[in-house]
Amino acid sequence: MPIGLVALALGGFGIGLTEFLIAGLLPQVAAGFSVSEATAGWLISGYALSVAVGAIALTAATARLPRKHVLAGLMALFVVGNLLSAIAPAYCVLLLGRIIAALCHGSFFGIGSLVARGLVAPERKSRAVAVMFAGLTLANVLGVPFGALVGERWGWRAAFWAVTAIGVLALAGIIALVPGRAGAAAGDGASTGLRDQFRALGSWQVWLTLTATALGYGGMFGAFSYIAYTFTEVSGFSAAAVPWLLMLYGAGLVVGNLIGGRAADRDRDRALVLALLGLTFTLAVFGLLAGSAVASVMLVFLMGVAGFAAVPGMITRVTDAAHGAALAASANVSASNVGNALGAWLGGLAITAGLGYRAPLYTGTALTLTSVIVMLVAARRAT
């Protein structure tokens, strides 16, 4: 794999750390600015909303610019946002810094995935995307414990300084290691105008893939949003064991990402259907066996594997269907965030209805099963 992918993976790692580390820092931030935990929680929800908006807005605004320059600019924006967070004199400034950093998230992964696939031969494009996303999945493993550890030893600001430094390294790597014409091969939409970018989104295959992405992500993250309660209230784990179990889930994401990239390069639609079927089966069995601590340990790892195995293939599928339009790749990131919100909402409704802490696993099963059906329809229409 080309060394330019290392710079893209490092950028993904930094962005992933920014997204996940705040969960381990909320108590310190709340105490430091004398705000409630609920108010501090806006640092998470505000970030997610900014990701969904920024993915479309910034990709559309930079449609005619060289992709390497756009990636460098997005990483510079990321550095500015985290630097602002590190020096924030008030809570509102910290929230602003989080919003600025989040704006680059969706566009970086959307445009970066096109650049990554442009660095390799066509038969290796899904693996190249998987390498880039390896940084994000590794951040999922390390993000919360990293934030908690650094915050405990040196204060929460130190965590943002560390992420700022990673952003600077990634920016230097993109400038030095990513070829100037990466991802700008003929016919991939690199120089397409905004009108053509939106026209490329009119394909049924694009919308079927985006729908499958949203439903698949919604099923996994809807279950994951309440997994701590499932572990403590159903499986019988102590609260102290939850972070380690979440790291096991993150390790599953890393494995699934790499397996999914290789499988998608062989037979993409088949790999996507099997990944979504595997996730559906895993969530259903998890719901049935959640009362067993041993089964829960194995199933949370498999949930991560199956859940992220579809990601590289979904991204290359939607961009192929949109003839390489960067807006489609970023729309895929937005679709995943919409799915996250939908899954968490449905899981919360099920718990509120008194169905217990296994219920999000079953609502997740229903969403991913629907995703399988959509993916089968998309595959059939493509033949």
Side-chain angles (χ1 to χ4, degrees):
M1 288 289 176
I3 194 170
L5 287 176
V6 176
L8 296 178
L10 182 60
F13 178 67
I15 291 173
L17 276 183
T18 295
E19 180 178 13
F20 299 121
L21 65 79
I22 192 64
L25 299 174
L26 280 185
Q28 291 187 39
V29 171
F33 288 119
S34 300
V35 298
S36 68
E37 291 283 352
T39 300
W42 275 101
L43 297 173
I44 296 176
S45 54
Y47 185 97
L49 290 173
S50 296
V51 169
V53 173
I56 301 298
L58 289 184
T59 303
T62 58
R64 287 191 174 276
L65 300 178
R67 286 179 179 160
K68 176 178 178 176
H69 296 171
V70 174
L71 287 177
L74 291 171
M75 191 50 57
L77 187 67
F78 171 80
V79 170
V80 170
N82 281 284
L83 179 61
L84 190 60
S85 298
I87 64 175
Y91 171 79
C92 59
V93 179
L94 175 57
L95 180 59
L96 177 62
R98 291 281 293 168
I99 290 172
I100 291 174
L103 288 174
C104 78
H105 184 126
S107 292
F108 184 87
F109 284 110
I111 297 171
S113 65
L114 294 177
V115 171
R117 58 183 283 174
L119 293 173
V120 300
E123 65 272 13
R124 296 172 65 87
K125 59 188 178 183
S126 293
R127 272 175 280 184
V129 172
V131 170
M132 177 188 171
F133 272 81
L136 176 64
T137 56
L138 185 60
N140 199 302
V141 178
L142 300 177
V144 174
F146 172 84
L149 178 63
V150 173
E152 181 181 346
R153 294 199 173 191
W154 298 290
W156 63 267
R157 293 182 188 273
F160 284 105
W161 280 113
V163 175
T164 301
I166 292 172
V168 171
L169 288 175
L171 175 58
I174 289 169
I175 293 172
L177 303 177
V178 175
R181 291 291 296 168
D188 77 343
S191 60
T192 309
L194 185 56
R195 180 179 299 176
D196 291 329
Q197 293 258 342
F198 277 105
R199 186 180 295 120
L201 296 182
S203 163
W204 268 107
Q205 287 295 335
V206 169
W207 285 102
L208 286 170
T209 308
L210 291 177
T211 302
T213 294
L215 292 170
Y217 263 93
M220 179 176 67
F221 282 104
F224 178 72
S225 297
Y226 304 97
I227 201 70
Y229 295 104
T230 306
F231 284 142
T232 56
E233 302 299 324
V234 181
S235 304
F237 288 103
S238 67
V242 171
W244 300 105
L245 293 166
L246 296 183
M247 289 184 68
L248 187 61
Y249 165 78
L253 297 181
V254 174
V255 174
N257 177 55
L258 297 177
I259 292 175
R262 296 183 68 87
D265 279 334
R266 294 191 183 97
D267 188 335
R268 186 169 57 198
D269 283 357
R270 183 170 183 267
L272 290 175
V273 170
L274 289 176
L276 293 171
L277 273 174
L279 179 58
T280 302
F281 179 77
T282 300
L283 292 175
V285 173
F286 201 167
L288 293 173
L289 302 181
S292 166
V294 174
S296 295
V297 169
M298 293 187 292
L299 288 165
V300 74
F301 174 76
L302 292 176
M303 187 172 91
V305 173
F308 225 80
V311 170
M314 284 294 191
I315 291 176
T316 57
R317 192 180 201 282
V318 77
T319 49
D320 281 351
H323 307 293
L327 197 59
S330 296
N332 197 71
V333 179
S334 292
S336 66
N337 279 270
V338 170
N340 294 353
L342 174 64
W345 177 64
L346 291 175
L349 285 181
I351 292 173
T352 302
L355 300 180
Y357 291 112
R358 298 175 191 252
L361 292 164
Y362 293 130
T363 58
T365 301
L367 285 173
T368 53
L369 180 58
T370 309
S371 180
V372 171
I373 296 171
V374 173
M375 192 61 239
L376 286 171
V377 171
R380 185 173 182 81
R381 289 178 65 98
T383 57

